[in-house]
Amino acid sequence: MAKSEVKTSLLDNMIGVGDSVLLEPLTEDTFLENLKKRFDHSEIYTYIGSVVISVNPYRHLPVYTPEKVEEYRNRNFYELSPHIYALADEAYRSLRDQDKDQCILITGESGAGKTEASKLVMSYVAAVCGKGAEVNQVKEQLLQSNPVLEAFGNAKTMRNDNSSRFGKYMDIEFDFKGDPLGGVISNYLLEKSRVVKQPRDERNFHIFYQLLSGGSEDLLKRLMLERDFNQYNYLGLDSAKVNGVDDAANFRTVKNAMQIVGFMDDEAESVLEVVAAVLKLGNIEFKPESRVNGLDESRIQDKNELKEICELLGQDQAVLERAFSFRTVEAKQEKVSTTLNVAQAYYARDALAKNLYNRLFTWLVSRINGSIKAQTKVRKKVMGVLDIYGFEIFENNSFEQFIINYCNEKLQQIFIELTLKEEQEEYIKEGIEWTHIEYFNNAIICELIENNTNGILAMLDEECLRPGTVTDETFLEKLNQICAIHERFESRMSKSSRFLNDTTLPHNCFRIQHYAGKVMYHVEGFVDKNNDLLYRDLSQAMWKTNHVLVKALFPEGNPAKMSLKRPPTAGSQFKASVATLMKNLQTKNPNYIRCIKPNDQKAPRVFSGALVRHQVRYLGLMENVRVRRAGYAFKQPYESCLERYKMLCSQTWPHWRQGARDGVKVLLTELQIPPEEFSYGRSKIFIRNPRTLFELEHLRKHRLEDLATLIQKIYRGWKCRTDFLLMKKSQITISAWTRRHFQRKKYLQLKSKTILIQSYIRGWKARKLLRELKHQKRCEESATTIAAYWRGTQARRELKRLKEEARRKHAVAVIWAYWLGLKVRREYRKFFRANAGRKIYEFTIQRIMQKYFLELKKKLPSLSPTERTWPARPYLFLDDTHTELKRIFHLWRCKKYRDQFTEQKRAIFEEKLEASELFKDKKALYTNSVSQPFQGDYLEISKNPKYQKLNGAVEEKIMLADVVNKINRANGKGAPRIFLLTKSNFIIADLKSGQIKSTIPVIDITSVSVSKQADGLFAVHLKEGSTAAAKGDFLFNSDRLIEIITKLYRTIFFKTNQKINVEINNEFLVQFNQDKVCVKFIQGVQKNGNLPACKRKNNRLLEVSVP
């Protein structure tokens, strides 16, 4: 850390002087020369103690990168070169770690870069504070509020393409961790006169041009606007287009920012409708008309614009037209309506446009505050950022400049007070004696302006409220009477004879000696601008609109809330706002950024000395430096001082083992610095004169050069020794490799010669052996060849003999065969004709059968057992064979099909087969059951929690579970019951409760009776005398009758190995208690859907109606 401090200190590699407090000698010329020198080297930031001076470079500099943010993060203010990030980091860390509310005051004239400075401060704080989804959303909303306010509150001026035409103060609220929670924005004195009139080469507010350039065709059509700027009188045409400014892209940015901040789509649309209405107000023209009584009145020339405005605002056209032509004055209980002449009508039109836009801007700020306001009620830390107009001195200064300069007087007053207070607190904290500092106190100027009795603002309000004829001239006369003797007030019309002959001061002007210099104000327009009147008729007309936003902007137009009290003047409102702002700033720790414009051409690398000198004077920068230097010019913690200068003393270099304060004392004593040039604080050393600091820096520079020489010497010695040892080692290595090379080369030559001699000797021996072997082989091959030829001759002779013998035997056999054949033909010739027909028949039949089987192979049907097709019979005599083959093929494919069955599937088919044997062609319901698979457990007893109790009561495996209708034995009505079948019993249970009603062993079932019809009624006959048969047989109805009886039939067979009788008849007897009852099925109409209707006729008959 120490090395880093030495490398990056404010005093290292310094271009000019980074902190003007250390400037020596201190004059205005040296101050300006220092600023210019740093500006020429792209060093745009300079300190005055803790105050940052920012000179607008009018170009992009690579000093705002994320790397720069990390470089200045959590670093001491004076640790790095001057930068706005250093001030922002100091303010943020003081707020986060020391729990001190902060405010950053950014001042300077238009074009000096105040708005950009505020953006840089906010972007730095956003970059270094916490992360997280909610925190990032708050940061994004705070940052995106700037584009919205800039669009509606900024404009292009001669000095600045993006000049803020309002003052803005934002309180950013943080939690205890330093994460942003939200913010509150306050706006001051929007330049609403710009809406209706702009100076030459300047523009109206950005939003008008952005809307016309970037709005879609559909949006412009809804707002009844055209893209051509020339169509609107309120837009300055001299500089409608600005080089380097893309209004269309900026409009998209503004719309996106409004969405991020929280504006709903209908709210954004309403805002644009008001903007469009303001534009169209400027196109309303009036013409004079004379009445019978001789009074002049005005009329609207073209009512199309008025009609479109009324459509946009939901206004009755007649109401707004009357408000532009008449004015109603109320006095006590009387109302007087007067006509407006053309000049008054234009005044009313412009007043409405200005008030409408001003109130819209105030509503925007309030709406943004509603979105970015902190939602939690916990205690918050606050950092305020004030971006407000600087001191203004123009050729023609009016009411706006007077109000702005009054605000700057108050800011200068609080700046001096807080600066001295900060210095005094630090001196007391460090135990340094505080000496009074002489400085100019501008309270006398503030008193001249804001005094409640004799102040200029009070007299202006009094003049505005005075009955009778009130003009700017009467206001100036009153000033000349009251303020003539004030030392800071000048006027040629005053009683003071000092200025009677001052030709630089016109008669309709007065001059005030501000802290920044003398400013001459033209009184023309003071009274009107202070009154800021909007006729009551226009307020009431706006309140009567159907436009929700416009109605909310003019609450005083509500007749129920109408007041005859005069609204407060613009001056009194601004005075109260400034007082609130000053009170707010005094509760916070201040941080200052003074912005300076280097030239009027907005050109990079151009430094106008006269312009900068003027700004330095009215910003009071020289006085600020003198205040900072009045006590001690430089202060530094003991640790940093010792770390920086310890090499100047032999006792402290290279390491000091004791306390830092003792080390600094030893250092200054050895350097023989006069005691009056410094003082020891509790944690810092205070140096009175900058020359002392520069002497220390000079000594340090020379000492560093000596240390550098020493380091170079030691390094060179080490380097030479290292090089010598390396060369020595290299020489030894080279010698060893050289000797090895020559020895190896000699060895290889000797080896190659030896190998050559050995190869010649081995070649000679090999050739000698080869000759011997060749001779021996030649002798052996000759004997073999002779033997082979001899054996070949013998073999050919034997082969010739065998062939001759075989030829003789073959001839004998052929002759014998022919002879036998002749004998047989002679013997069987007489039988040939008798057997020929049978042989031909058998051959023909054999060929037909062969063809039949081959054709049948090609035409075999599919292997599905249900396939009934079979190739046609080709010959009548094959009828039995054809039928038998069909039967065999069907049996074979059925076997193949059965072989594929699983045990479960086999059981299902066996049940289906059993059902077929029992019911096919006997029961009409059977055909419906063929295609339905037998599932068994339809109720899923084991899975359904409703039947958990019933499942627990049944111990055996459930083979069938279904809901059936049990027929009442007494009246024939049905009731739903659960029918369960296990291997040993069938069980009847209640459907709702699951309680078991009856359990009947299957061995007690003797037979089952059903009808031949398509109904589902069946009777279960029980053994007489069995326990289950106490009440008689059971009569059920179910759509799954076939499955139930089949499973019941198979279960009883498997249990008893006996088949029960299944009676299928339209009449059968059942046993009910002690009676034999005949169940008779008749044709009838069913009343309950598909359920058969059962009716007990008497004790012996139960009729069942089936369709």
Side-chain angles (χ1 to χ4, degrees):
M1 187 68 184
K3 293 181 180 179
S4 176
E5 287 179 356
V6 172
K7 289 181 181 178
T8 59
S9 172
L10 176 67
L11 300 172
D12 279 331
N13 302 321
M14 190 165 54
I15 298 171
V17 179
D19 189 348
S20 299
V21 175
L22 303 178
L23 196 61
E24 189 67 25
L26 177 61
T27 64
E28 190 176 84
D29 292 335
T30 57
F31 186 86
L32 291 173
E33 184 181 350
N34 183 56
L35 287 180
K36 184 178 186 308
K37 183 176 182 180
R38 292 179 61 77
F39 178 80
D40 292 340
H41 288 81
S42 298
E43 294 286 343
I44 62 172
Y45 297 112
T46 307
Y47 292 155
I48 301 178
S50 60
V51 177
V52 175
I53 302 174
S54 173
V55 183
N56 194 342
Y58 288 118
R59 60 191 175 101
H60 178 73
L61 295 177
V63 294
Y64 308 110
T65 60
E67 291 76 16
K68 277 288 181 182
V69 171
E70 290 300 320
E71 184 179 347
Y72 280 85
R73 186 173 186 174
N74 294 328
R75 302 295 286 270
N76 184 276
F77 186 77
Y78 296 103
E79 189 174 343
L80 301 173
S81 58
H83 202 290
I84 194 171
Y85 284 169
L87 181 136
D89 186 75
E90 183 76 13
Y92 176 71
R93 285 192 293 112
S94 298
L95 175 137
R96 182 192 63 191
D97 302 335
Q98 302 175 20
D99 203 17
K100 292 182 180 179
D101 288 349
Q102 304 289 317
C103 64
I104 298 177
L105 309 182
I106 307 172
T107 57
E109 71 172 52
S110 178
K114 301 187 299 298
T115 302
E116 289 301 318
S118 67
K119 290 181 186 178
L120 289 172
V121 170
M122 292 178 64
S123 63
Y124 179 84
V125 173
V128 300
C129 64
K131 310 294 182 186
E134 294 184 4
V135 174
N136 289 339
Q137 181 181 2
V138 172
K139 290 193 291 187
E140 189 67 15
Q141 287 186 335
L142 290 173
L143 293 176
Q144 290 300 325
S145 65
N146 279 327
V148 179
L149 294 180
E150 284 183 11
F152 287 86
N154 288 23
K156 188 264 182 189
T157 65
M158 294 182 64
R159 298 183 175 185
N160 186 2
D161 290 343
N162 188 32
S163 176
S164 297
R165 307 317 299 161
F166 70 103
K168 181 179 74 172
Y169 176 74
M170 174 183 279
D171 268 335
I172 308 174
E173 299 173 334
F174 298 83
D175 62 8
F176 70 96
K177 303 191 299 292
D179 295 339
L181 297 173
V184 179
I185 300 173
S186 302
N187 63 301
Y188 302 95
L189 196 65
L190 176 72
E191 189 188 9
K192 58 185 179 182
S193 60
R194 181 173 291 272
V195 174
V196 299
K197 185 179 180 181
Q198 305 90 39
R200 186 175 180 81
D201 294 330
E202 294 192 6
R203 292 206 315 178
N204 209 323
F205 292 103
H206 292 327
I207 187 61
F208 296 114
Y209 305 94
Q210 291 174 357
L211 174 59
L212 296 180
S213 299
S216 64
E217 294 295 338
D218 181 57
L219 176 62
L220 294 181
K221 184 178 180 180
R222 292 200 306 272
L223 300 179
M224 291 173 276
L225 295 175
E226 298 180 17
R227 289 198 188 278
D228 187 6
F229 298 154
N230 297 317
Q231 299 294 324
Y232 303 101
N233 297 332
Y234 278 166
L235 298 185
L237 304 180
D238 297 331
S239 55
K241 295 291 184 181
V242 181
N243 293 332
V245 176
D246 187 346
D247 288 318
N250 290 340
F251 181 69
R252 292 190 292 271
T253 302
V254 171
K255 289 190 68 176
N256 181 58
M258 292 179 77
Q259 289 181 348
I260 293 174
V261 171
F263 282 82
M264 306 299 291
D265 291 341
D266 57 339
E267 288 180 323
E269 185 85 5
S270 297
V271 170
L272 296 180
E273 287 172 353
V274 175
V275 172
V278 171
L279 265 181
K280 288 181 169 295
L281 277 172
N283 291 350
I284 295 179
E285 301 288 344
F286 299 93
K287 61 183 178 180
E289 278 193 7
S290 297
R291 301 181 67 180
V292 178
N293 56 9
L295 296 177
D296 291 335
E297 64 179 19
S298 62
R299 285 287 181 268
I300 298 176
Q301 288 184 4
D302 184 3
K303 297 184 179 181
N304 286 331
E305 292 289 348
L306 181 66
K307 179 182 177 182
E308 292 181 353
I309 292 172
C310 292
E311 289 178 4
L312 280 173
L313 303 183
Q315 173 67 277
D316 185 358
Q317 184 175 342
V319 173
L320 189 56
E321 183 177 1
R322 175 175 174 79
F324 280 136
S325 303
F326 295 88
R327 178 186 179 189
T328 302
V329 180
E330 296 185 20
K332 296 183 179 179
Q333 302 299 325
E334 297 182 2
K335 290 185 179 181
V336 179
S337 181
T338 61
T339 59
L340 300 179
N341 57 31
V342 173
Q344 291 172 331
Y346 277 117
Y347 173 83
R349 179 200 69 177
D350 292 345
L352 177 60
K354 291 188 290 185
N355 272 274
L356 190 57
Y357 191 83
N358 184 57
R359 296 182 188 208
L360 173 65
F361 185 78
T362 304
W363 179 87
L364 278 172
V365 173
S366 176
R367 178 64 181 80
I368 291 172
N369 285 338
S371 295
I372 66 176
K373 185 178 180 180
Q375 302 300 320
T376 59
K377 296 183 179 180
V378 298
R379 182 180 178 275
K380 310 175 187 70
K381 304 176 183 180
V382 178
M383 176 185 289
V385 179
L386 178 64
D387 173 10
I388 202 163
Y389 6 67
F391 204 89
E392 292 189 351
I393 305 177
F394 299 146
E395 291 183 5
N396 186 7
N397 300 291
S398 186
F399 178 75
E400 291 85 0
Q401 284 68 46
F402 175 75
I403 290 294
I404 290 171
N405 292 344
Y406 160 61
C407 179
N408 277 273
E409 286 285 358
K410 296 294 291 183
L411 288 174
Q412 177 68 10
Q413 185 180 25
I414 196 174
F415 169 69
I416 296 297
E417 289 176 0
L418 293 177
T419 300
L420 294 176
K421 180 181 177 183
E422 182 184 351
E423 288 285 323
Q424 183 177 5
E425 286 179 351
E426 182 165 20
Y427 283 15
I428 293 172
K429 177 182 175 182
E430 292 293 329
I432 304 296
E433 183 180 355
W434 169 258
T435 57
H436 180 70
I437 299 174
E438 293 294 337
Y439 65 95
F440 168 67
N441 190 346
N442 67 338
I444 186 175
I445 304 175
C446 297
E447 183 71 14
L448 170 65
I449 298 173
E450 67 182 4
N451 186 278
N452 292 330
T453 304
N454 298 325
I456 295 177
L457 287 176
M459 287 186 284
L460 181 59
D461 287 348
E462 182 180 338
E463 191 69 13
C464 291
L465 298 174
R466 181 174 63 82
T469 303
V470 177
T471 63
D472 297 319
E473 288 73 18
T474 60
F475 166 62
L476 183 57
E477 289 176 5
K478 191 162 190 173
L479 285 184
N480 292 332
Q481 293 174 6
I482 304 298
C483 304
I485 60 175
H486 198 286
E487 60 180 303
R488 293 280 170 172
F489 180 83
E490 300 176 5
S491 173
R492 289 186 68 178
M493 303 297 293
S494 67
K495 298 177 182 179
S496 175
S497 59
R498 294 177 297 165
F499 308 106
L500 291 177
N501 299 321
D502 188 353
T503 57
T504 62
L505 184 60
H507 289 83
N508 63 339
C509 300
F510 66 91
R511 189 159 51 204
I512 295 178
Q513 297 182 34
H514 289 282
Y515 77 92
K518 294 182 179 182
V519 182
M520 182 174 65
Y521 298 101
H522 292 258
V523 295
E524 181 182 356
F526 261 63
V527 174
D528 284 342
K529 292 176 181 178
N530 188 51
N531 270 327
D532 193 23
L533 287 178
L534 178 67
Y535 296 152
R536 185 170 296 149
D537 301 77
L538 290 172
S539 298
Q540 293 175 351
M542 290 296 102
W543 188 83
K544 291 178 182 177
T545 65
N546 295 325
H547 198 281
V548 178
L549 176 56
V550 174
K551 196 180 187 74
L553 295 181
F554 292 88
E556 75 276 11
N558 187 352
K561 298 181 181 179
M562 186 173 62
S563 173
L564 297 179
K565 185 178 179 181
R566 189 181 183 92
T569 61
S572 61
Q573 291 182 42
F574 188 74
K575 177 182 174 182
S577 299
V578 169
T580 304
L581 176 63
M582 297 302 117
K583 185 177 179 181
N584 190 357
L585 294 179
Q586 286 176 341
T587 62
K588 296 178 174 60
N589 185 50
N591 302 271
Y592 298 94
I593 301 174
R594 303 295 204 186
C595 297
I596 291 178
K597 182 169 66 172
N599 60 79
D600 279 328
Q601 295 77 33
K602 295 178 279 191
R605 296 187 174 87
V606 176
F607 190 91
S608 174
L611 178 63
V612 175
R613 186 186 300 272
H614 172 68
Q615 295 173 78
V616 167
R617 286 177 180 175
Y618 77 65
L619 286 174
L621 298 184
M622 291 302 299
E623 190 164 329
N624 190 358
V625 178
R626 294 188 184 99
V627 169
R628 291 286 182 178
R629 288 179 54 146
Y632 293 88
F634 185 76
K635 48 188 174 290
Q636 192 175 25
Y638 289 120
E639 293 78 7
S640 301
C641 181
L642 181 63
E643 184 65 33
R644 186 167 185 82
Y645 302 112
K646 65 181 180 180
M647 72 286 298
L648 302 179
C649 175
S650 58
Q651 299 181 48
T652 57
W653 179 259
H655 299 293
W656 176 256
R657 304 296 183 184
Q658 302 177 32
R661 177 170 179 165
D662 296 334
V664 172
K665 285 184 178 180
V666 170
L667 174 66
L668 296 180
T669 302
E670 183 168 320
L671 293 176
Q672 297 181 354
I673 304 295
E676 62 273 9
E677 288 296 323
F678 59 86
S679 292
Y680 296 107
R682 291 189 176 91
S683 63
K684 296 179 182 179
I685 179 71
F686 289 77
I687 298 176
R688 187 178 301 276
N689 198 311
R691 283 194 298 269
T692 304
L693 180 65
F694 290 133
E695 286 179 11
L696 289 174
E697 284 296 312
H698 180 71
L699 293 173
R700 180 177 179 273
K701 181 179 180 182
H702 284 287
R703 180 58 178 160
L704 287 176
E705 291 175 356
D706 295 340
L707 290 175
T709 304
L710 177 62
I711 293 171
Q712 288 175 350
K713 182 185 74 172
I714 295 173
Y715 172 76
R716 289 191 186 109
W718 171 83
K719 185 69 174 174
C720 289
R721 285 193 299 275
T722 303
D723 291 345
F724 169 74
L725 293 175
L726 182 60
M727 289 177 63
K728 181 179 178 181
K729 183 178 179 181
S730 301
Q731 184 180 6
I732 293 172
T733 303
I734 292 170
S735 300
W737 276 86
T738 303
R739 288 193 296 272
R740 175 179 176 276
H741 172 71
F742 283 114
Q743 290 295 328
R744 187 169 181 273
K745 186 176 180 181
K746 183 178 180 181
Y747 163 75
L748 291 175
Q749 290 177 351
L750 182 61
K751 181 179 179 181
S752 63
K753 294 176 180 178
T754 303
I755 291 172
L756 181 62
I757 295 171
Q758 290 175 348
S759 64
Y760 272 105
I761 294 174
R762 284 195 292 272
W764 174 77
K765 288 184 176 181
R767 286 190 294 276
K768 181 179 178 183
L769 179 61
L770 179 61
R771 286 193 296 272
E772 294 176 354
L773 291 174
K774 283 182 177 181
H775 178 71
Q776 182 179 354
K777 183 179 179 181
R778 198 177 294 115
C779 294
E780 292 175 355
E781 287 178 351
S782 300
T784 303
T785 303
I786 294 170
Y789 273 100
W790 168 249
R791 286 192 294 272
T793 303
Q794 292 294 105
R796 284 191 291 277
R797 289 176 182 173
E798 183 65 20
L799 177 61
K800 187 178 181 181
R801 186 185 65 77
L802 291 174
K803 284 182 177 181
E804 186 64 29
E805 185 178 352
R807 193 179 296 112
R808 291 195 188 100
K809 289 180 179 180
H810 178 67
V812 172
V814 170
I815 294 169
W816 177 251
Y818 271 98
W819 167 246
L820 290 178
L822 179 62
K823 286 176 69 177
V824 169
R825 283 192 295 276
R826 286 177 181 175
E827 185 179 354
Y828 284 94
R829 185 174 294 147
K830 57 185 177 181
F831 301 106
F832 175 73
R833 290 184 179 177
N835 295 327
R838 186 173 59 81
K839 292 287 186 180
I840 293 171
Y841 173 76
E842 290 177 355
F843 177 76
T844 303
I845 292 300
Q846 184 179 4
R847 293 297 297 164
I848 290 173
M849 292 295 292
Q850 183 180 6
K851 182 179 179 183
Y852 166 70
F853 283 120
L854 291 175
E855 290 293 331
L856 185 63
K857 177 182 178 183
K858 296 178 182 178
K859 297 180 181 180
L860 284 177
S862 67
L863 296 181
S864 173
T866 59
E867 181 68 47
R868 297 299 182 185
T869 61
W870 185 251
R873 178 194 60 200
Y875 302 102
L876 183 62
F877 74 92
L878 292 175
D879 186 39
D880 295 339
T881 305
H882 194 69
T883 303
E884 184 65 18
L885 284 175
K886 178 180 178 181
R887 186 184 69 81
I888 294 171
F889 179 78
H890 180 67
L891 293 175
W892 173 78
R893 67 184 175 186
C894 287
K895 181 180 182 305
K896 295 286 287 183
Y897 184 74
R898 287 195 302 274
D899 290 343
Q900 300 174 4
F901 285 178
T902 60
E903 290 297 327
Q904 183 180 1
K905 196 171 182 181
R906 187 183 299 276
I908 292 173
F909 272 89
E910 287 177 354
E911 289 179 352
K912 285 287 185 180
L913 185 59
E914 195 78 57
S916 175
E917 292 176 356
L918 290 174
F919 299 105
K920 187 176 181 182
D921 299 330
K922 301 175 185 178
K923 175 74 174 171
L925 185 65
Y926 170 73
T927 56
N928 296 335
S929 70
V930 173
S931 61
Q932 298 175 357
F934 291 172
Q935 297 182 15
D937 188 3
Y938 290 94
L939 302 181
E940 296 183 342
I941 296 293
S942 59
K943 299 179 181 178
N944 196 331
K946 179 179 177 182
Y947 305 119
Q948 185 175 5
K949 182 178 177 181
L950 179 60
N951 185 43
V954 179
E955 297 179 354
E956 295 180 307
K957 179 182 177 182
I958 295 174
M959 302 173 65
L960 185 141
D962 196 9
V963 177
V964 300
N965 271 322
K966 177 180 176 294
I967 306 302
N968 191 287
R969 297 181 180 92
N971 52 25
K973 294 183 179 180
R977 293 288 186 267
I978 297 175
F979 185 95
L980 301 180
L981 178 62
T982 65
K983 293 182 178 179
S984 301
N985 306 287
F986 85 82
I987 300 168
I988 307 300
D990 186 69
L991 178 63
K992 294 182 178 179
S993 63
Q995 183 178 359
I996 297 176
K997 295 288 186 179
S998 302
T999 302
I1000 299 91
V1002 296
I1003 59 177
D1004 290 344
I1005 299 173
T1006 58
S1007 63
V1008 179
S1009 297
V1010 297
S1011 72
K1012 297 179 179 181
Q1013 308 299 326
D1015 63 284
L1017 197 76
F1018 66 96
V1020 179
H1021 304 282
L1022 306 178
K1023 286 181 182 179
E1024 293 185 7
S1026 64
T1027 306
K1031 293 183 180 182
D1033 299 336
F1034 286 94
L1035 199 59
F1036 299 104
N1037 183 69
S1038 174
D1039 292 337
R1040 301 188 180 91
L1041 176 144
I1042 303 299
E1043 182 179 356
I1044 292 174
I1045 294 178
T1046 302
K1047 287 185 177 291
L1048 187 61
Y1049 180 88
R1050 289 173 60 83
T1051 302
I1052 295 172
F1053 178 77
F1054 290 141
K1055 184 71 176 176
T1056 62
N1057 203 21
Q1058 294 179 358
K1059 295 183 179 180
I1060 64 170
N1061 180 36
V1062 178
E1063 181 183 357
I1064 302 175
N1065 204 334
N1066 288 335
E1067 289 187 14
F1068 54 81
L1069 294 175
V1070 293
Q1071 183 76 32
F1072 285 171
N1073 294 327
Q1074 303 301 323
D1075 300 329
K1076 290 284 187 178
V1077 179
C1078 176
V1079 179
K1080 184 178 181 180
F1081 291 83
I1082 62 174
Q1083 298 294 324
V1085 179
Q1086 292 175 290
K1087 298 181 180 179
N1088 300 323
N1090 294 325
L1091 296 177
C1094 301
K1095 187 174 182 181
R1096 187 77 177 265
K1097 289 291 185 178
N1098 50 51
N1099 292 339
R1100 301 296 179 182
L1101 179 62
L1102 178 67
E1103 286 187 353
V1104 181
S1105 298
V1106 295

